[in-house]
Amino acid sequence: MAKPLKCDVCSEPATVHLTQIINNQIHKIDLCEACAEQKGITDPSGYSLADLLVKPDSSKSADAASISCPECGCTQREFKKTGRLGCATCYETFEALVGPALLNMHKGDSHKGKVPHRALERAHYIDRLDSLENGLKEAISSERYEDAAKMRDEIIELKKAMEAAAVED
Amino acid sequence: MLIKSIFGGKSEMTEAGSKKCPVVLMTRIRLARNLADTPFPGWAKETRRREVLETCLPSVASLGQMKRGISAEIGTLSDLERQILVERHLISRELSNNSDAAGVVISKDQSISVMINEEDHLRIQVIKSGYRFKSAWNAVDAIDSALEEQLDFAFSQKIGYLTACPTNVGTGMRASTMMHLPALVISNQMEKVVRAVNQLGIAVRGLFGEGSDASGSIFQISNQTTLGESEEEIVKRLSSVLRTIIDQEMNAREKILEKDPRKLYDKIGRAYGILQNSHLLTSSECMNLASLVRFGVDLEMFPEKTRNIVDRMFIECQPGHVQYHAGENIESNARDAFRAEYMRKQFENVARPLFNIHESSDKDDTPQSDPEQEAE
Ligand SMILES: [Zn+2]
Ligand SMILES: [Zn+2]
């Protein structure tokens, strides 16, 4: 058998081999386990081009640092550094940056796949229920009893519908 | 105890040998999912991660598909146990390294594994031996739908399932196959293939050892994009690329056999000889030898049942597995000795390869398309 390839970094025998295309050029990297781990590419199957796609943009870095997600506190700078977002709301917070990046990475910018109907329905029900229950309290405290009765009926209906949805299937 | 049941049980990865399946070793589909209103694992504080683990682990473990499976918090596993799970593709190395409030649930047959608090809250993965996107999708879709009844997933009407990394947003789906492409490697065509495939939004990655002219010859191809197409469309695109690669590999095989069969017979014959007689084997050499023997099985030089041994070798020659079988903490030289001994035993009763079979081999026997997909 031929001699094993040497690690591109330290010349130990290489055990991790990556072939990727970046800007139409083939890059082959051979690394030993230790160096691969250090570079965070120990699992070739898990290695993604994310970090390369979202490039640090030094010109606006002052702006970038000032934007942070109201939900999780993640900043634009952190996103650029790691290529990872902090929470679902970050997609809205950093829309100006993420939106164009999505178009570069993907086949389009709108979802065409599976939809979690049940979860969406439940979220919708819960929102509606919340607002009805608030309305009911308010109606009672301001003695609008006719409105209150209507809302109470709708709450009962809604709860029935939620139960039915949960049982179904 | 965990490890024992992993080794004792029948697994999709190691016991699939009864099915004749050249070129495509396995199919894998994974879905990335996150809980709504909860920071992603990489950003979340320890207490939030723990909450997620405590919500998700029981939900996943309670699924019918996970009956009599294994659930474990990663932090409670030994290094060796984690390594073995990584080598079996049941957890990622990332999860194994970053074990704070992380967990995994593995089905009894090891075809399903759900990672908790990896890069996303949930990574649902199904592995099938051979070329079986449809059954992998059906399985992973069913688990996802069952989980959706208990958990609220972060989802946007516009851009689909929301994930920690924007490269996964949309379907959250990564579909891949592990392909064995020895003839394309021997005839130096892999670079051309990689280039062509990449332009179609499909990623090709080398797996395992490379490093001699024969090389491990195992590549993973997967979809690069997750947004803008349905799951079915993604799989369809991937499948058509896959079929082209299979055709190319088959053509390359025929050409090699036409042009210079002796060179190939020599490689395969030597591989067989080394596996039967060596006393020191590194994991990457072992991978290369296994690759050649698998090639030999495809060419009917070895009986079909040999495929099972080879596919198991791909898994079991890895360091963690050897360590486990050796039953003690041994250093790498001793591992190589143990590995060689183990392979000698495996190959003791494998009949010598036949080298005259191809003049009569009929072409209809080389499946270059996927019956499952075409039946649609
Ligand atoms: Zn190195
Ligand atoms: Zn956020």
Side-chain angles (χ1 to χ4, degrees):
Chain A
M1 291 255 119
K3 264 187 272 167
L5 284 182
K6 296 254 161 74
C7 171
D8 289 340
V9 179
C10 73
S11 315
E12 288 289 303
T15 55
V16 177
H17 311 277
L18 274 174
T19 307
Q20 288 196 320
I21 294 210
I22 301 157
N23 295 332
N24 233 354
Q25 287 216 299
I26 295 231
H27 295 261
K28 282 189 179 163
I29 312 167
D30 305 288
L31 297 167
C32 71
E33 218 158 300
C35 291
E37 195 148 350
Q38 216 169 41
K39 293 192 178 296
I41 44 174
T42 43
D43 180 10
S45 63
Y47 185 58
S48 88
L49 291 168
D51 310 335
L52 298 161
L53 287 167
V54 184
K55 288 202 184 77
D57 173 11
S58 54
S59 62
K60 292 189 212 149
S61 59
D63 275 1
S66 63
I67 303 176
S68 69
C69 176
E71 189 69 32
C72 73
C74 179
T75 64
Q76 189 152 312
R77 181 180 282 166
E78 264 146 340
F79 167 55
K80 283 184 169 180
K81 204 173 78 192
T82 61
R84 306 287 182 275
L85 293 160
C87 76
T89 307
C90 285
Y91 277 95
E92 293 160 33
T93 312
F94 307 124
E95 217 283 322
L97 184 68
V98 178
L102 287 181
L103 268 174
N104 281 334
M105 292 172 199
H106 295 289
K107 289 261 157 184
D109 62 355
S110 57
H111 179 56
K112 299 224 172 75
K114 183 174 178 175
V115 171
H117 287 291
R118 201 171 288 267
L120 285 181
E121 242 167 61
R122 189 170 43 232
H124 171 79
Y125 279 138
I126 289 169
D127 281 355
R128 180 83 189 119
L129 200 60
D130 271 357
S131 84
L132 278 171
E133 276 168 350
N134 285 336
L136 179 63
K137 263 186 224 150
E138 207 190 282
I140 291 172
S141 69
S142 57
E143 303 186 2
R144 292 183 285 116
Y145 295 114
E146 215 165 297
D147 286 350
K150 259 190 216 152
M151 283 187 234
R152 193 199 51 218
D153 289 349
E154 202 178 330
I155 289 172
I156 292 168
E157 291 273 303
L158 201 58
K159 283 187 171 162
K160 255 193 229 158
M162 283 170 81
E163 267 166 43
V167 171
E168 197 187 287
D169 189 44
Chain B
M1 190 200 105
L2 169 87
I3 288 298
K4 240 191 198 149
S5 61
I6 290 273
F7 274 94
K10 281 211 160 185
S11 126
E12 194 64 42
M13 288 295 294
T14 58
E15 303 296 330
S18 55
K19 232 189 189 166
K20 183 169 179 170
C21 192
V23 185
V24 181
L25 291 169
M26 72 175 214
T27 305
R28 167 159 64 165
I29 298 186
R30 76 113 232 261
L31 299 176
R33 296 289 185 257
N34 287 283
L35 303 186
D37 306 321
T38 310
F40 298 138
W43 186 254
K45 299 228 159 59
E46 165 81 27
T47 49
R48 289 310 286 279
R49 287 171 62 99
R50 179 127 314 266
E51 278 167 29
V52 169
L53 182 66
E54 275 159 18
T55 308
C56 293
L57 201 68
S59 291
V60 176
S62 72
L63 298 177
Q65 291 95 326
M66 295 305 192
K67 213 187 237 164
R68 283 180 291 140
I70 295 161
S71 15
E73 201 177 307
I74 302 300
T76 66
L77 304 177
S78 70
D79 288 349
L80 183 60
E81 285 176 314
R82 290 185 209 180
Q83 191 178 349
I84 282 168
L85 294 181
V86 171
E87 288 174 0
R88 294 199 157 223
H89 310 283
L90 293 170
I91 65 173
S92 64
R93 203 171 291 269
E94 183 173 341
L95 189 80
S96 134
N97 290 342
N98 188 6
S99 58
D100 271 355
V104 65
V105 184
I106 299 166
S107 69
K108 189 168 185 295
D109 68 358
Q110 298 172 45
S111 68
I112 308 168
S113 80
V114 179
M115 289 183 262
I116 300 164
N117 279 334
E118 209 246 24
E119 185 180 296
D120 296 294
H121 293 139
L122 292 162
R123 286 277 174 102
I124 310 163
Q125 173 192 278
V126 168
I127 296 177
K128 298 276 178 189
S129 64
Y131 183 2
R132 285 151 72 201
F133 275 131
K134 216 209 274 172
S135 72
W137 168 252
N138 288 342
V140 84
D141 182 34
I143 297 160
D144 176 51
S145 296
L147 284 175
E148 186 202 309
E149 293 190 19
Q150 307 179 47
L151 307 167
D152 277 326
F153 290 147
F155 183 83
S156 136
Q157 304 272 21
K158 173 122 198 338
I159 56 170
Y161 292 95
L162 301 173
T163 51
C165 182
T167 51
N168 293 314
V169 84
T171 59
M173 181 180 80
R174 196 73 61 197
S176 65
T177 59
M178 212 145 97
M179 304 185 85
H180 182 226
L181 306 171
L184 287 174
V185 170
I186 290 171
S187 55
N188 280 323
Q189 293 182 67
M190 259 330 280
E191 191 159 320
K192 197 182 78 192
V193 170
V194 171
R195 198 184 287 276
V197 164
N198 260 263
Q199 277 161 353
L200 300 167
I202 308 280
V204 182
R205 296 185 182 101
L207 272 197
F208 299 134
E210 199 174 333
S212 71
D213 53 342
S215 92
S217 303
I218 293 178
F219 298 86
Q220 179 183 274
I221 87 158
S222 59
N223 62 305
Q224 192 92 283
T225 60
T226 52
L227 179 63
E229 281 177 303
S230 69
E231 292 83 356
E232 268 176 356
E233 285 168 325
I234 292 171
V235 165
K236 218 179 188 177
R237 200 156 50 81
L238 190 57
S239 294
S240 82
V241 170
L242 232 122
R243 249 172 261 169
T244 312
I245 298 178
I246 294 174
D247 285 348
Q248 302 245 11
E249 166 69 18
M250 287 310 186
N251 287 339
R253 289 181 183 192
E254 257 169 53
K255 264 203 199 111
I256 290 171
L257 286 171
E258 259 166 41
K259 241 174 55 193
D260 199 357
R262 216 177 305 167
K263 210 166 156 189
L264 181 64
Y265 294 164
D266 183 62
K267 282 177 194 288
I268 293 175
R270 280 165 190 267
Y272 175 77
I274 294 171
L275 286 166
Q276 274 201 331
N277 297 295
S278 79
H279 285 257
L280 285 174
L281 264 184
T282 65
S283 62
S284 87
E285 186 180 9
C286 199
M287 225 44 117
N288 289 336
L289 299 170
S291 163
L292 284 164
V293 173
R294 196 177 209 274
F295 195 2
V297 176
D298 292 347
L299 299 173
E300 296 176 9
M301 292 172 182
F302 297 100
E304 184 57 34
K305 65 179 183 212
T306 313
R307 189 186 302 280
N308 199 1
I309 297 176
V310 179
D311 287 353
R312 211 166 45 221
M313 273 174 67
F314 281 131
I315 302 291
E316 299 199 338
C317 75
Q318 298 175 86
H321 278 72
V322 170
Q323 193 91 9
Y324 174 79
H325 281 301
E328 56 191 313
N329 214 344
I330 51 174
E331 40 76 54
S332 106
N333 214 20
R335 272 208 302 267
D336 292 351
F338 185 88
R339 183 180 292 113
E341 190 192 331
Y342 185 71
M343 294 307 155
R344 287 204 309 275
K345 246 182 232 146
Q346 293 288 311
F347 269 78
E348 215 166 49
N349 297 316
V350 173
R352 300 187 45 208
L354 303 169
F355 292 116
N356 55 354
I357 200 122
H358 311 75
E359 281 107 72
S360 62
S361 88
D362 67 313
K363 272 191 203 160
D364 295 345
D365 219 27
T366 53
Q368 58 274 85
S369 57
D370 169 24
E372 185 191 53
Q373 306 269 325
E374 282 174 353
E376 281 175 277

